[in-house]
Amino acid sequence: MKKMGKIFLTGCFSLAMAAAFVANAVTADAEEKLKEGEKFKFTILQTNDFHGHLDDGTLHHNSIAKYATIIENVRNEEENVLLVDGGDVFLRGEFQAGQGELETSLLKALDYDAMALGNNDFRVYPAGEGTPDSRYDQLKDYHRNVNFPILTGNVIDRETGKYIQNVKPWNSFAFNGVKVGMIGLTSMKPEIRGWDDVADLDFIEPVEALNALLPEVSEKSDVNIVLSHAGNPVDHKLAQVPGVSAVIGADTHKVIETPV
């Protein structure tokens, strides 16, 4: 939510921006290609909260076909581009019985770089009848369907204390020697609402999880970005954590015409 530049897309679930960051060179490669104090520009294209509405121009302003064109155009115009999704990809949509198979396959076809899990990605269709086993199978299918990292750093297995399988807390992306660390965080709604789907999981408060992850990420990155499905009020708190350059948010379904 800081140091953002112009917006390319706006919508109740979609935001894209170009960002110029002042990055300190922390690796030998970065030192060769980026001097301290020099501005490094990269573009983040983001979608979120599809909820399975892939071509609904009246309610959600979604159109995968239009997005594909915009994504291609931006990639042709900009040198350093990340394409990410903020979660809640399928539940409530026309094809929700497929448990995200269509939606995640489309993200793969559009060559996304990463996604964060939304609270509804933990919920198995039909809502209210899921179990930890069926949720595990659903997220395993997510991972199988995509060829990019799924990032969620504030959900752990209650028994083992480890992150859930097939999900990473963060990932690093390199652009000409500059390393961008992206941390995924999600909403605590599944645990707060007592969904049976997540009875085996613990959801850590996002700011607490971010503070715990940043030292590890910062050792290996020049710029730290949070890909969040925690909601707009929490995103403002995440943006105040020292070491965070920007927060790319989701869940609130709020149109943000100008980045904060």
Side-chain angles (χ1 to χ4, degrees):
M1 303 179 74
K2 305 182 219 174
K3 301 181 183 175
M4 294 186 179
K6 61 183 178 181
I7 295 175
F8 287 114
L9 304 174
T10 57
C12 62
F13 62 94
S14 179
L15 171 70
M17 63 163 194
F21 295 91
V22 177
N24 292 321
V26 296
T27 66
D29 192 27
E31 287 174 359
E32 293 176 2
K33 299 182 180 180
L34 186 69
K35 297 178 181 179
E36 185 173 352
E38 186 177 353
K39 288 188 176 181
F40 166 69
K41 178 182 176 182
F42 72 103
T43 300
I44 299 176
L45 297 176
Q46 185 238 27
T47 56
N48 60 278
D49 295 273
F50 276 112
H51 287 288
H53 301 288
L54 303 177
D55 191 14
D56 185 347
T58 57
L59 178 62
H60 291 275
H61 313 294
N62 295 5
S63 175
I64 285 290
K66 291 180 180 178
Y67 282 8
T69 299
I70 294 171
I71 291 166
E72 181 180 7
N73 288 342
V74 172
R75 281 173 166 162
N76 287 335
E77 295 171 1
E78 302 293 333
E79 184 177 357
N80 305 310
V81 179
L82 275 176
L83 174 61
V84 299
D85 186 80
D88 276 9
V89 299
F90 82 95
L91 199 65
R92 304 177 197 165
E94 182 180 359
F95 306 102
Q96 61 181 342
Q99 294 180 257
E101 181 175 4
L102 171 62
E103 292 82 358
T104 52
S105 296
L106 286 171
L107 297 185
K108 176 181 179 180
L110 291 174
D111 200 20
Y112 272 66
D113 295 296
M115 71 172 288
L117 292 175
N119 53 289
N120 285 292
D121 297 314
F122 290 89
R123 195 154 220 205
V124 178
Y125 177 85
E129 298 184 17
T131 66
D133 286 340
S134 60
R135 183 222 69 238
Y136 168 81
D137 289 336
Q138 179 169 291
L139 293 185
K140 182 175 67 175
D141 289 340
Y142 270 38
H143 183 262
R144 182 191 65 192
N145 288 343
V146 302
N147 58 343
F148 51 79
I150 300 173
L151 308 177
T152 304
N154 65 320
V155 182
I156 60 173
D157 184 287
R158 186 168 295 169
E159 182 176 342
T160 66
K162 298 180 179 180
Y163 293 107
I164 54 180
Q165 289 187 312
N166 303 318
V167 173
K168 300 173 59 176
W170 66 280
N171 196 67
S172 179
F173 302 91
F175 298 97
N176 297 320
V178 178
K179 294 183 178 180
V180 177
M182 180 166 284
I183 300 169
L185 298 169
T186 194
S187 168
M188 297 184 68
K189 290 178 184 177
E191 183 175 280
I192 292 172
R193 295 174 178 177
W195 292 353
D196 291 336
D197 318 61
V198 299
D200 60 330
L201 302 179
D202 277 330
F203 285 69
I204 304 168
E205 195 280 322
V207 174
E208 178 185 345
L210 177 60
N211 275 303
L213 282 167
L214 268 175
E216 173 188 345
V217 179
S218 297
E219 285 184 0
K220 303 175 182 178
S221 66
D222 303 296
V223 178
N224 297 319
I225 308 294
V226 176
L227 179 60
S228 165
H229 194 92
N232 192 253
V234 178
D235 289 343
H236 282 267
K237 296 178 182 179
L238 295 170
Q240 300 305 313
V241 175
V244 173
S245 296
V247 177
I248 313 298
D251 184 54
T252 307
H253 297 208
K254 177 182 179 181
V255 177
I256 302 176
E257 297 289 352
T258 303
V260 179

CSV table of all heavy atoms in Angstrom, one decimal, residues 54-98:
chain,number,residue,atom,x,y,z
A,54,LEU,N,-16.7,-15.9,-14.2
A,54,LEU,CA,-15.6,-15.7,-15.1
A,54,LEU,C,-16.0,-14.8,-16.3
A,54,LEU,O,-15.1,-14.3,-17.0
A,54,LEU,CB,-15.2,-17.1,-15.7
A,54,LEU,CG,-14.7,-18.0,-14.6
A,54,LEU,CD1,-14.4,-19.4,-15.2
A,54,LEU,CD2,-13.5,-17.5,-13.9
A,55,ASP,N,-17.3,-14.5,-16.5
A,55,ASP,CA,-17.7,-13.7,-17.6
A,55,ASP,C,-19.0,-13.0,-17.2
A,55,ASP,O,-20.1,-13.3,-17.7
A,55,ASP,CB,-17.8,-14.4,-18.9
A,55,ASP,CG,-18.0,-13.5,-20.1
A,55,ASP,OD1,-17.8,-12.3,-19.9
A,55,ASP,OD2,-18.4,-14.0,-21.1
A,56,ASP,N,-19.0,-12.1,-16.2
A,56,ASP,CA,-20.2,-11.5,-15.7
A,56,ASP,C,-20.0,-10.0,-15.7
A,56,ASP,O,-19.5,-9.4,-14.7
A,56,ASP,CB,-20.5,-12.0,-14.3
A,56,ASP,CG,-21.8,-11.4,-13.7
A,56,ASP,OD1,-22.3,-10.5,-14.3
A,56,ASP,OD2,-22.3,-12.0,-12.7
A,57,GLY,N,-20.4,-9.3,-16.7
A,57,GLY,CA,-20.1,-7.9,-16.9
A,57,GLY,C,-21.0,-7.0,-16.1
A,57,GLY,O,-20.7,-5.8,-16.0
A,58,THR,N,-22.1,-7.5,-15.5
A,58,THR,CA,-23.0,-6.6,-14.8
A,58,THR,C,-22.8,-6.6,-13.3
A,58,THR,O,-22.8,-5.6,-12.7
A,58,THR,CB,-24.4,-7.1,-15.1
A,58,THR,OG1,-24.6,-8.5,-14.7
A,58,THR,CG2,-24.8,-7.0,-16.6
A,59,LEU,N,-22.5,-7.8,-12.7
A,59,LEU,CA,-22.4,-7.8,-11.3
A,59,LEU,C,-20.9,-7.7,-10.8
A,59,LEU,O,-20.6,-6.9,-9.9
A,59,LEU,CB,-22.9,-9.2,-10.8
A,59,LEU,CG,-22.9,-9.4,-9.2
A,59,LEU,CD1,-23.6,-8.3,-8.5
A,59,LEU,CD2,-23.4,-10.8,-8.9
A,60,HIS,N,-20.0,-8.5,-11.4
A,60,HIS,CA,-18.7,-8.5,-10.9
A,60,HIS,C,-17.6,-7.9,-11.8
A,60,HIS,O,-16.5,-7.8,-11.5
A,60,HIS,CB,-18.2,-10.0,-10.6
A,60,HIS,CG,-19.0,-10.6,-9.4
A,60,HIS,ND1,-18.5,-10.4,-8.2
A,60,HIS,CD2,-20.1,-11.3,-9.4
A,60,HIS,CE1,-19.4,-11.1,-7.3
A,60,HIS,NE2,-20.3,-11.6,-8.1
A,61,HIS,N,-18.1,-7.5,-13.0
A,61,HIS,CA,-17.2,-6.9,-14.0
A,61,HIS,C,-16.1,-7.8,-14.4
A,61,HIS,O,-15.0,-7.4,-14.8
A,61,HIS,CB,-16.6,-5.6,-13.5
A,61,HIS,CG,-17.6,-4.7,-12.8
A,61,HIS,ND1,-18.6,-4.1,-13.5
A,61,HIS,CD2,-17.7,-4.3,-11.5
A,61,HIS,CE1,-19.3,-3.3,-12.7
A,61,HIS,NE2,-18.8,-3.4,-11.5
A,62,ASN,N,-16.3,-9.1,-14.3
A,62,ASN,CA,-15.3,-10.1,-14.7
A,62,ASN,C,-15.4,-10.5,-16.1
A,62,ASN,O,-16.5,-10.6,-16.7
A,62,ASN,CB,-15.5,-11.4,-13.9
A,62,ASN,CG,-15.3,-11.3,-12.4
A,62,ASN,OD1,-15.1,-10.2,-11.9
A,62,ASN,ND2,-15.3,-12.4,-11.7
A,63,SER,N,-14.3,-10.6,-16.8
A,63,SER,CA,-14.2,-11.2,-18.1
A,63,SER,C,-12.8,-11.7,-18.3
A,63,SER,O,-11.9,-10.9,-18.5
A,63,SER,CB,-14.6,-10.2,-19.2
A,63,SER,OG,-14.4,-10.7,-20.5
A,64,ILE,N,-12.7,-13.0,-18.2
A,64,ILE,CA,-11.3,-13.6,-18.4
A,64,ILE,C,-10.8,-13.3,-19.8
A,64,ILE,O,-9.5,-13.1,-19.9
A,64,ILE,CB,-11.4,-15.1,-18.2
A,64,ILE,CG1,-11.6,-15.5,-16.7
A,64,ILE,CG2,-10.2,-15.8,-18.8
A,64,ILE,CD1,-10.3,-15.2,-15.9
A,65,ALA,N,-11.6,-13.3,-20.8
A,65,ALA,CA,-11.1,-13.0,-22.1
A,65,ALA,C,-10.5,-11.6,-22.2
A,65,ALA,O,-9.4,-11.4,-22.8
A,65,ALA,CB,-12.2,-13.1,-23.1
A,66,LYS,N,-11.2,-10.6,-21.6
A,66,LYS,CA,-10.7,-9.2,-21.6
A,66,LYS,C,-9.4,-9.2,-20.8
A,66,LYS,O,-8.4,-8.5,-21.2
A,66,LYS,CB,-11.7,-8.3,-21.0
A,66,LYS,CG,-12.9,-8.1,-21.9
A,66,LYS,CD,-13.9,-7.1,-21.3
A,66,LYS,CE,-15.1,-6.9,-22.2
A,66,LYS,NZ,-16.1,-6.1,-21.6
A,67,TYR,N,-9.3,-9.9,-19.7
A,67,TYR,CA,-8.1,-9.9,-18.9
A,67,TYR,C,-6.9,-10.4,-19.6
A,67,TYR,O,-5.8,-9.9,-19.5
A,67,TYR,CB,-8.4,-10.6,-17.6
A,67,TYR,CG,-9.1,-9.9,-16.6
A,67,TYR,CD1,-9.7,-8.6,-16.9
A,67,TYR,CD2,-9.3,-10.3,-15.3
A,67,TYR,CE1,-10.4,-7.9,-16.0
A,67,TYR,CE2,-10.0,-9.6,-14.3
A,67,TYR,CZ,-10.6,-8.4,-14.7
A,67,TYR,OH,-11.3,-7.7,-13.8
A,68,ALA,N,-7.2,-11.5,-20.4
A,68,ALA,CA,-6.1,-12.1,-21.1
A,68,ALA,C,-5.5,-11.1,-22.1
A,68,ALA,O,-4.3,-11.1,-22.3
A,68,ALA,CB,-6.6,-13.4,-21.9
A,69,THR,N,-6.3,-10.3,-22.7
A,69,THR,CA,-5.8,-9.3,-23.6
A,69,THR,C,-5.0,-8.2,-22.9
A,69,THR,O,-3.9,-7.8,-23.4
A,69,THR,CB,-7.0,-8.6,-24.4
A,69,THR,OG1,-7.7,-9.6,-25.1
A,69,THR,CG2,-6.5,-7.6,-25.3
A,70,ILE,N,-5.5,-7.8,-21.8
A,70,ILE,CA,-4.8,-6.7,-21.0
A,70,ILE,C,-3.5,-7.3,-20.5
A,70,ILE,O,-2.5,-6.6,-20.6
A,70,ILE,CB,-5.7,-6.3,-19.8
A,70,ILE,CG1,-6.9,-5.5,-20.4
A,70,ILE,CG2,-4.9,-5.4,-18.9
A,70,ILE,CD1,-8.0,-5.2,-19.3
A,71,ILE,N,-3.5,-8.5,-20.0
A,71,ILE,CA,-2.3,-9.1,-19.5
A,71,ILE,C,-1.2,-9.2,-20.6
A,71,ILE,O,-0.1,-8.9,-20.4
A,71,ILE,CB,-2.6,-10.5,-18.9
A,71,ILE,CG1,-3.4,-10.4,-17.6
A,71,ILE,CG2,-1.3,-11.3,-18.6
A,71,ILE,CD1,-4.0,-11.7,-17.1
A,72,GLU,N,-1.7,-9.7,-21.8
A,72,GLU,CA,-0.7,-9.8,-22.9
A,72,GLU,C,-0.1,-8.4,-23.3
A,72,GLU,O,1.1,-8.3,-23.5
A,72,GLU,CB,-1.4,-10.4,-24.1
A,72,GLU,CG,-0.5,-10.6,-25.3
A,72,GLU,CD,-1.2,-11.3,-26.5
A,72,GLU,OE1,-2.4,-11.4,-26.4
A,72,GLU,OE2,-0.5,-11.6,-27.4
A,73,ASN,N,-1.0,-7.4,-23.3
A,73,ASN,CA,-0.6,-6.1,-23.7
A,73,ASN,C,0.4,-5.5,-22.7
A,73,ASN,O,1.5,-4.9,-23.1
A,73,ASN,CB,-1.8,-5.1,-23.8
A,73,ASN,CG,-2.6,-5.4,-25.0
A,73,ASN,OD1,-2.2,-6.1,-26.0
A,73,ASN,ND2,-3.9,-4.9,-25.0
A,74,VAL,N,0.2,-5.7,-21.4
A,74,VAL,CA,1.1,-5.1,-20.4
A,74,VAL,C,2.4,-5.9,-20.4
A,74,VAL,O,3.5,-5.3,-20.3
A,74,VAL,CB,0.4,-5.2,-19.0
A,74,VAL,CG1,1.5,-4.9,-17.9
A,74,VAL,CG2,-0.8,-4.3,-18.9
A,75,ARG,N,2.4,-7.2,-20.6
A,75,ARG,CA,3.6,-7.9,-20.7
A,75,ARG,C,4.4,-7.5,-21.9
A,75,ARG,O,5.7,-7.6,-21.9
A,75,ARG,CB,3.3,-9.4,-20.8
A,75,ARG,CG,3.0,-10.1,-19.4
A,75,ARG,CD,2.5,-11.5,-19.5
A,75,ARG,NE,2.5,-12.2,-18.2
A,75,ARG,CZ,1.8,-13.3,-17.9
A,75,ARG,NH1,1.1,-13.8,-18.9
A,75,ARG,NH2,1.9,-13.8,-16.7
A,76,ASN,N,3.8,-7.1,-23.0
A,76,ASN,CA,4.5,-6.7,-24.1
A,76,ASN,C,5.1,-5.3,-23.9
A,76,ASN,O,6.1,-4.9,-24.6
A,76,ASN,CB,3.6,-6.6,-25.4
A,76,ASN,CG,3.3,-8.0,-25.9
A,76,ASN,OD1,4.0,-9.0,-25.6
A,76,ASN,ND2,2.1,-8.2,-26.5
A,77,GLU,N,4.4,-4.5,-23.1
A,77,GLU,CA,4.9,-3.1,-22.9
A,77,GLU,C,5.9,-2.9,-21.7
A,77,GLU,O,6.7,-2.0,-21.8
A,77,GLU,CB,3.6,-2.2,-22.6
A,77,GLU,CG,2.7,-2.1,-23.8
A,77,GLU,CD,1.4,-1.4,-23.5
A,77,GLU,OE1,1.2,-1.0,-22.3
A,77,GLU,OE2,0.5,-1.3,-24.4
A,78,GLU,N,5.7,-3.7,-20.7
A,78,GLU,CA,6.6,-3.6,-19.5
A,78,GLU,C,7.6,-4.7,-19.4
A,78,GLU,O,7.4,-5.8,-19.8
A,78,GLU,CB,5.7,-3.6,-18.3
A,78,GLU,CG,4.6,-2.5,-18.2
A,78,GLU,CD,5.1,-1.1,-18.1
A,78,GLU,OE1,6.3,-1.0,-17.6
A,78,GLU,OE2,4.5,-0.2,-18.6
A,79,GLU,N,8.8,-4.3,-18.9
A,79,GLU,CA,9.9,-5.3,-18.8
A,79,GLU,C,9.8,-6.3,-17.7
A,79,GLU,O,10.0,-7.5,-17.8
A,79,GLU,CB,11.2,-4.5,-18.7
A,79,GLU,CG,12.4,-5.4,-18.7
A,79,GLU,CD,13.7,-4.6,-18.7
A,79,GLU,OE1,13.7,-3.4,-18.7
A,79,GLU,OE2,14.8,-5.3,-18.7
A,80,ASN,N,9.4,-5.8,-16.5
A,80,ASN,CA,9.4,-6.7,-15.3
A,80,ASN,C,7.9,-6.7,-14.8
A,80,ASN,O,7.4,-5.8,-14.2
A,80,ASN,CB,10.3,-6.1,-14.2
A,80,ASN,CG,11.7,-5.8,-14.7
A,80,ASN,OD1,12.3,-6.7,-15.3
A,80,ASN,ND2,12.2,-4.6,-14.5
A,81,VAL,N,7.3,-7.9,-15.0
A,81,VAL,CA,5.9,-8.0,-14.6
A,81,VAL,C,5.6,-9.3,-13.8
A,81,VAL,O,6.1,-10.4,-14.1
A,81,VAL,CB,5.0,-8.2,-15.9
A,81,VAL,CG1,3.5,-8.3,-15.6
A,81,VAL,CG2,5.2,-6.9,-16.8
A,82,LEU,N,4.8,-9.1,-12.7
A,82,LEU,CA,4.3,-10.2,-11.9
A,82,LEU,C,2.8,-10.2,-12.1
A,82,LEU,O,2.1,-9.2,-11.9
A,82,LEU,CB,4.7,-10.0,-10.4
A,82,LEU,CG,6.1,-10.5,-10.0
A,82,LEU,CD1,6.2,-10.2,-8.5
A,82,LEU,CD2,6.2,-12.0,-10.2
A,83,LEU,N,2.3,-11.4,-12.3
A,83,LEU,CA,0.8,-11.6,-12.4
A,83,LEU,C,0.4,-12.5,-11.3
A,83,LEU,O,0.8,-13.7,-11.2
A,83,LEU,CB,0.4,-12.2,-13.8
A,83,LEU,CG,-1.0,-12.6,-13.9
A,83,LEU,CD1,-1.9,-11.4,-13.8
A,83,LEU,CD2,-1.2,-13.3,-15.3
A,84,VAL,N,-0.5,-12.0,-10.4
A,84,VAL,CA,-0.8,-12.8,-9.2
A,84,VAL,C,-2.3,-12.8,-8.9
A,84,VAL,O,-3.1,-11.9,-9.4
A,84,VAL,CB,-0.1,-12.2,-7.9
A,84,VAL,CG1,1.4,-12.3,-8.1
A,84,VAL,CG2,-0.5,-10.8,-7.7
A,85,ASP,N,-2.8,-13.7,-8.1
A,85,ASP,CA,-4.2,-13.7,-7.7
A,85,ASP,C,-4.3,-13.8,-6.2
A,85,ASP,O,-3.6,-14.4,-5.6
A,85,ASP,CB,-4.9,-14.9,-8.3
A,85,ASP,CG,-6.4,-14.9,-8.1
A,85,ASP,OD1,-7.2,-14.2,-8.8
A,85,ASP,OD2,-6.9,-15.6,-7.1
A,86,GLY,N,-5.3,-13.0,-5.7
A,86,GLY,CA,-5.5,-12.9,-4.3
A,86,GLY,C,-6.4,-13.9,-3.6
A,86,GLY,O,-6.7,-13.7,-2.4
A,87,GLY,N,-6.9,-14.9,-4.4
A,87,GLY,CA,-7.7,-15.9,-3.7
A,87,GLY,C,-9.2,-15.8,-3.9
A,87,GLY,O,-9.7,-14.8,-4.5
A,88,ASP,N,-9.9,-16.8,-3.4
A,88,ASP,CA,-11.4,-17.0,-3.5
A,88,ASP,C,-11.7,-17.2,-5.0
A,88,ASP,O,-12.4,-16.4,-5.6
A,88,ASP,CB,-12.2,-15.8,-2.9
A,88,ASP,CG,-12.4,-15.9,-1.4
A,88,ASP,OD1,-11.8,-16.9,-0.8
A,88,ASP,OD2,-13.1,-15.1,-0.9
A,89,VAL,N,-11.2,-18.2,-5.6
A,89,VAL,CA,-11.3,-18.4,-7.0
A,89,VAL,C,-12.6,-19.0,-7.5
A,89,VAL,O,-13.0,-18.8,-8.6
A,89,VAL,CB,-10.1,-19.2,-7.6
A,89,VAL,CG1,-8.8,-18.5,-7.3
A,89,VAL,CG2,-10.1,-20.6,-7.0
A,90,PHE,N,-13.3,-19.9,-6.7
A,90,PHE,CA,-14.4,-20.6,-7.3
A,90,PHE,C,-15.7,-20.6,-6.6
A,90,PHE,O,-16.8,-20.6,-7.2
A,90,PHE,CB,-14.0,-22.1,-7.5
A,90,PHE,CG,-14.1,-22.9,-6.2
A,90,PHE,CD1,-15.3,-23.7,-6.0
A,90,PHE,CD2,-13.2,-23.0,-5.2
A,90,PHE,CE1,-15.5,-24.5,-4.9
A,90,PHE,CE2,-13.3,-23.7,-4.1
A,90,PHE,CZ,-14.5,-24.5,-3.9
A,91,LEU,N,-15.8,-20.6,-5.2
A,91,LEU,CA,-17.0,-20.8,-4.5
A,91,LEU,C,-18.0,-19.7,-4.8
A,91,LEU,O,-17.6,-18.5,-4.8
A,91,LEU,CB,-16.7,-20.9,-3.0
A,91,LEU,CG,-17.8,-21.5,-2.2
A,91,LEU,CD1,-18.0,-23.0,-2.5
A,91,LEU,CD2,-17.5,-21.4,-0.7
A,92,ARG,N,-19.3,-20.1,-5.0
A,92,ARG,CA,-20.4,-19.2,-5.4
A,92,ARG,C,-20.6,-19.1,-6.9
A,92,ARG,O,-21.6,-18.6,-7.4
A,92,ARG,CB,-20.3,-17.8,-4.8
A,92,ARG,CG,-20.1,-17.7,-3.3
A,92,ARG,CD,-20.0,-16.3,-2.9
A,92,ARG,NE,-19.4,-16.2,-1.5
A,92,ARG,CZ,-18.9,-15.1,-1.0
A,92,ARG,NH1,-18.9,-14.0,-1.7
A,92,ARG,NH2,-18.4,-15.1,0.2
A,93,GLY,N,-19.6,-19.6,-7.7
A,93,GLY,CA,-19.7,-19.5,-9.1
A,93,GLY,C,-20.5,-20.6,-9.8
A,93,GLY,O,-21.0,-21.5,-9.2
A,94,GLU,N,-20.7,-20.4,-11.1
A,94,GLU,CA,-21.5,-21.3,-11.9
A,94,GLU,C,-21.0,-22.7,-11.9
A,94,GLU,O,-21.7,-23.7,-12.0
A,94,GLU,CB,-21.6,-20.8,-13.3
A,94,GLU,CG,-22.4,-21.6,-14.3
A,94,GLU,CD,-22.4,-21.1,-15.7
A,94,GLU,OE1,-21.8,-20.0,-15.9
A,94,GLU,OE2,-23.1,-21.7,-16.5
A,95,PHE,N,-19.6,-22.9,-11.8
A,95,PHE,CA,-19.0,-24.2,-11.8
A,95,PHE,C,-18.4,-24.6,-10.5
A,95,PHE,O,-17.4,-25.3,-10.4
A,95,PHE,CB,-17.9,-24.2,-12.9
A,95,PHE,CG,-18.4,-23.7,-14.2
A,95,PHE,CD1,-18.1,-22.4,-14.7
A,95,PHE,CD2,-19.1,-24.5,-15.1
A,95,PHE,CE1,-18.5,-21.9,-15.9
A,95,PHE,CE2,-19.6,-24.1,-16.3
A,95,PHE,CZ,-19.3,-22.8,-16.7
A,96,GLN,N,-19.0,-24.1,-9.4
A,96,GLN,CA,-18.4,-24.4,-8.0
A,96,GLN,C,-18.4,-25.9,-7.7
A,96,GLN,O,-17.5,-26.3,-6.9
A,96,GLN,CB,-19.2,-23.6,-7.0
A,96,GLN,CG,-20.7,-23.9,-6.8
A,96,GLN,CD,-21.3,-23.1,-5.8
A,96,GLN,OE1,-20.7,-22.5,-4.9
A,96,GLN,NE2,-22.7,-23.0,-5.8
A,97,ALA,N,-19.2,-26.7,-8.3
A,97,ALA,CA,-19.2,-28.1,-8.0
A,97,ALA,C,-17.9,-28.7,-8.4
A,97,ALA,O,-17.5,-29.8,-8.0
A,97,ALA,CB,-20.3,-28.8,-8.7
A,98,GLY,N,-17.2,-28.0,-9.4
A,98,GLY,CA,-15.8,-28.5,-9.8
A,98,GLY,C,-14.7,-28.2,-8.9
A,98,GLY,O,-13.6,-28.6,-9.1
